[in-house]
Amino acid sequence: MKPILALCFHLCLLFRESTCSLRQKKFHEFQAKLQDIAPSSPPPSSPKTNGRVFYPIGYGADPTGVGESSDAILQAVSDAFNVKSELEMLPGVKDLGGVIVDFQGGNYKISKPIRFPASSGGNVVVQGGALRASETFPSDRHLIELWSPNSQKQQKSDFTRPIIFTHMKLQNVGIYYEDITFRDVLFDSSYRGGGIFVVDSARIRINNCFFLHFATEGILVQKGHETFISSCFLGQHSTVGGDEGEKDFSGTAIDFVGNDNAITDVAIFSAAIGVSLRGQANIVTGVHCYNKATYWGGIGILVKLGSSLTRIDNCYLDFTAIVMEDPTQVHVTNALFLGDANVVLKSINGRISGLNIVDNMFNGDPKNMVPVIKLDGDFKNIDQVVIDQNNVNGMSLKSTTGKLSVTGNGMKWVADFSSVLVFPNRISHFDYSLYIQGGAPGGFVAHAVTNVSNNVVVVESDKPINGVVSVAVDQYNMVGENNFLM
């Protein structure tokens, strides 16, 4: 019986294996038929929104930068501005509650500006991605524009004269956007136009952004109130200095044409002009300009005519100068000027009033001995100018104050301040003392200042003596003070 049982057992195993193989074959045939009848479903699409966060990818924007994304981004921004709200910020500016347009770390190619909706709005965040201009992007526009149809853009021809705006305190005068924040966005203009254009807007923040390849302006702000730019990098060309094409750099990294704006902790690594100020009460602090060098005609910071109440503090001018046109109430302090970088005072109407250049460091090439303060043109009307307490290495010190001691045995001492004082032939005040070494022979010695001209002070005595004359002068006039020495 044992052989018979063994044979039966093996037959059962063979039947089981053949049955399993048949079932597996039938299952695979069934799967294939299902695939033929119903193709696999596409992956779920990205959502357009999540609460009050709007995703351009969900609207069809291509995060790879291959496809065109302008319309999708514009629609996402439009929907964000259409969020229902009964609240207002400034009168007429709808409070959108902090809605977010989130680029989700994508690269987006756009062929037209992302111009914000005509409806006024505020309390909006745009974040996290890169915008790149296509080869057909308009050369006179910006990648993002806060530009209401009710706003008038300033033309380049207007920039030849001072643009002065009155301060808006209690009323909404021509403000259409408020509290818009741009953060963690790269703006690549592809040498076609600019990065961001802001006009008639209040309390705008541009933070942690990167601006590349602009042909006009990286950031252009016109009118409005309080645009704050912080922790940003701006450059027309991607370089860390010493670029072979530096002489051809063009464009302006930041152009403020308005009041009460601030630039803080920003690096500008290539452009013809780093910062241009055309307004009042603007502050620039902690800015490193190593854009086009002065040698090639570049300007680090340009303070245009009429830009009063300007404060430039703790900045780093790296081979590029600060240029001021008829400065009025301008303060430059705690700055580092490297590589023959200096301050140029440019005469338009020949007027300077209320200029302080104090407590700065200047470092240059001793072979050149570039003056730390350079005059471009003649100034006839000067008051309240203090240029003092700056330290210099390898450059020519210039100041509005001076002290000299002159020794000699005779009747005449000449203290020449012409190599030190900023303004030619302009000593406003002087003090002097005479020390007679070994005592006065024959009693009292009469002495006096006999000439003050061409920044030279002459002291004479009525008797020959061995004396030391110490002289202190300044070029400081109060408002309305007459200079009797000229």
Side-chain angles (χ1 to χ4, degrees), residues 48-56 59 76 79-80 83 99-102:
K48 289 185 176 181
T49 63
N50 181 8
R52 292 199 169 195
V53 181
F54 294 79
Y55 304 112
Y59 289 81
D79 285 357
V83 166
V99 297
I100 298 173
V101 178
D102 191 344

Side-chain angles (χ1 to χ4, degrees), residues 26-151:
K26 292 292 185 182
F27 176 74
H28 289 309
E29 290 176 352
F30 179 70
Q31 270 190 325
K33 286 182 180 179
L34 282 178
Q35 290 175 353
D36 292 338
I37 296 171
S40 59
S41 301
S45 60
S46 299
K48 289 185 176 181
T49 63
N50 181 8
R52 292 199 169 195
V53 181
F54 294 79
Y55 304 112
I57 293 176
Y59 289 81
D62 181 0
T64 69
V66 176
E68 160 63 26
S69 297
S70 304
D71 290 335
I73 296 173
L74 284 165
Q75 189 58 57
V77 173
S78 177
D79 285 357
F81 266 70
N82 284 326
V83 166
K84 289 185 178 180
S85 175
E86 302 300 323
L87 302 175
E88 282 190 332
M89 303 185 76
L90 284 170
V93 179
K94 184 167 67 171
D95 183 352
L96 297 170
V99 297
I100 298 173
V101 178
D102 191 344
F103 290 122
Q104 296 178 279
N107 278 289
Y108 302 93
K109 181 172 69 176
I110 59 175
S111 60
K112 54 187 173 184
I114 306 304
R115 187 168 178 178
F116 273 44
S119 57
S120 298
N123 199 357
V124 178
V125 175
V126 179
Q127 69 178 24
L131 297 177
R132 302 182 188 274
S134 73
E135 61 278 4
T136 61
F137 191 90
S139 60
D140 60 344
R141 301 291 294 274
H142 294 74
L143 297 176
I144 285 184
E145 297 181 343
L146 271 68
W147 184 5
S148 167
N150 298 313
S151 295

Side-chain angles (χ1 to χ4, degrees), residues 389-403:
Q389 297 181 187
N390 302 296
N391 64 70
V392 176
N393 183 15
M395 298 179 72
S396 174
L397 177 64
K398 292 290 182 179
S399 179
T400 53
T401 67
K403 292 181 179 180

Side-chain angles (χ1 to χ4, degrees), residues 407-428:
T407 184
N409 193 342
M411 300 175 62
K412 186 176 181 178
W413 297 262
V414 178
D416 187 351
F417 295 91
S418 59
S419 64
V420 176
L421 295 178
V422 172
F423 302 104
N425 193 25
R426 183 178 290 271
I427 291 178
S428 302

